[in-house]
Amino acid sequence: MRRIIDKTKELEKRAMHSERLAFVGTLAGGLAHEIKNPLSTLNINLQLLMEDVQGMTGGNSKKAFAKIQALQKETQRLEEILNDFLRFAKGQKLELKDHDINEVLDEVVDFVTPEIKQKKILILKSYDADLPPCRIDSNLIKQAILNIIINAEQVMENGGELMIRTSRNKKFIQIDITDTGAGIPKNIIDKIFQVYFSTKKTGTGLGLPTTKRIIEEHKGTITVQSEEGKGTNFSIKLPVDLRIY
Ligand SMILES: Nc1ncnc2c1ncn2[C@@H]1O[C@H](COP(=O)(O)OP(=O)(O)OP(=O)(O)O)[C@@H](O)[C@H]1O
Ligand SMILES: [Mg+2]
């Protein structure tokens, strides 16, 4: 009996905790929205101020211009942080349609190709030509893949290889994205999917948590293998829709 009571109490506590978490999430989302409007007013006025100062010729006008520029950069950074947060916090409803995963991947690759080429990164593709259609929200999956590719790109500033593979078995379609960057140190690999974990100067740390959330919303999984000095591989598994067969 005592054990049942303890268990009930524990469950109640957990329910309260998750309710509170959801509530805090809603509050934070609301707060981020509220901050966005004054921030964009700030941005617009800084732009106008900049134009005013540009027209001036006085001795200090150049200095004033530089200061406004710095302010503008910071407000834009704040806007980015808020947008990333809102994208992460928003519990979106999936718009599921049948898609060819290879085509979806190609669209993401096309999007990043100019930048990737500039960094002398070689893109290698190895697609399973026989994939069944996959029921996904393609915009969200593209976002999820893009976050991984951007990370790969950032870790191969001096060139490297980006390998994108697809394969399948009866139960799932697998996407592997491998880079030849510096790899992820062992002591941080458990943290990379945590919200706001970043080792980058201007990283928000929402890229991988967003990716993970999107994949899990599709009932899929994401795992990482990495070797320092060699590179990193992210594997995504998306369930094959059994109704297709
Ligand atoms: N391909 C990779 N190679 C090495 N380290 C990586 C790789 N991908 C992610 N990481 C590590 O995981 C951390 C978290 O990645 P995540 O994408 O969530 O955030 P971020 O890239 O730092 O910032 P954001 O994506 O919000 O701009 C990175 O800061 C980096 O340390
Ligand atoms: Mg990132």
Side-chain angles (χ1 to χ4, degrees):
M1 188 62 185
R2 185 161 179 84
R3 276 176 67 186
I4 295 173
I5 292 171
D6 281 351
K7 186 96 194 136
T8 317
K9 273 193 184 153
E10 171 65 26
L11 285 175
E12 262 175 19
K13 220 165 99 186
R14 251 194 258 168
M16 260 172 71
H17 181 66
S18 66
E19 235 173 65
R20 218 177 37 225
L21 268 185
F23 182 59
V24 171
T26 313
L27 274 183
L31 183 67
H33 258 297
E34 289 299 317
I35 295 173
K36 270 191 82 162
N37 286 337
L39 202 58
S40 76
T41 312
L42 243 161
N43 229 341
I44 292 166
N45 279 289
L46 281 174
Q47 183 63 38
L48 293 173
L49 196 61
M50 204 148 157
E51 281 162 24
D52 287 348
V53 172
Q54 249 169 341
M56 289 177 190
T57 46
N60 281 332
S61 64
K62 257 196 180 152
K63 269 190 189 163
F65 187 78
K67 281 177 189 154
I68 297 167
Q69 236 176 356
L71 281 172
Q72 220 180 12
K73 216 175 121 203
E74 293 306 313
T75 50
Q76 274 160 8
R77 171 95 188 106
L78 277 173
E79 266 184 343
E80 258 173 48
I81 293 173
L82 283 179
N83 284 334
D84 281 351
F85 172 80
L86 285 169
R87 218 173 309 152
F88 178 77
K90 202 161 55 176
Q92 273 158 320
K93 205 171 163 271
L94 301 188
E95 287 191 25
L96 298 173
K97 279 198 193 118
D98 283 346
H99 285 276
D100 177 344
I101 287 288
N102 293 339
E103 272 175 24
V104 172
L105 286 172
D106 272 344
E107 279 177 44
V108 183
V109 170
D110 284 349
F111 181 70
V112 292
T113 295
E115 244 189 89
I116 286 218
K117 284 228 168 105
Q118 224 177 24
K119 291 188 179 164
K120 305 219 170 2
I121 298 170
L122 191 65
I123 305 174
L124 303 166
K125 291 185 203 170
S126 164
Y127 290 169
D128 181 337
D130 220 21
L131 292 184
C134 192
R135 233 176 136 63
I136 54 165
D137 186 318
S138 64
N139 285 329
L140 288 180
I141 291 291
K142 276 189 218 165
Q143 178 68 55
I145 304 285
L146 185 65
N147 291 347
I148 295 177
I149 294 185
I150 291 173
N151 283 342
E153 201 187 302
Q154 289 170 341
V155 87
M156 296 191 288
E157 285 296 334
N158 302 316
E161 281 174 14
L162 178 71
M163 169 72 124
I164 303 173
R165 268 173 302 172
T166 56
S167 52
R168 63 176 289 204
N169 70 14
K170 273 205 181 112
K171 290 201 178 130
F172 52 78
I173 291 174
Q174 183 163 341
I175 305 166
D176 282 290
I177 300 168
T178 316
D179 67 60
T180 55
I184 305 174
K186 281 202 175 63
N187 61 329
I188 67 159
I189 202 154
D190 289 340
K191 298 192 184 134
I192 60 167
F193 291 105
Q194 280 173 15
V195 175
Y196 295 127
F197 176 80
S198 175
T199 55
K200 295 168 194 169
K201 235 186 189 168
T202 56
T204 310
L206 284 178
L208 287 179
T210 305
T211 294
K212 189 169 189 298
R213 214 208 47 212
I214 292 171
I215 299 301
E216 287 177 352
E217 278 175 350
H218 284 79
K219 309 260 180 285
T221 58
I222 177 163
T223 51
V224 61
Q225 296 95 35
S226 187
E227 204 175 320
E228 274 180 86
K230 282 208 167 157
T232 303
N233 174 63
F234 284 91
S235 297
I236 293 172
K237 287 179 185 168
L238 292 170
V240 168
D241 191 350
L242 295 171
R243 281 172 307 158
I244 294 163
Y245 292 100

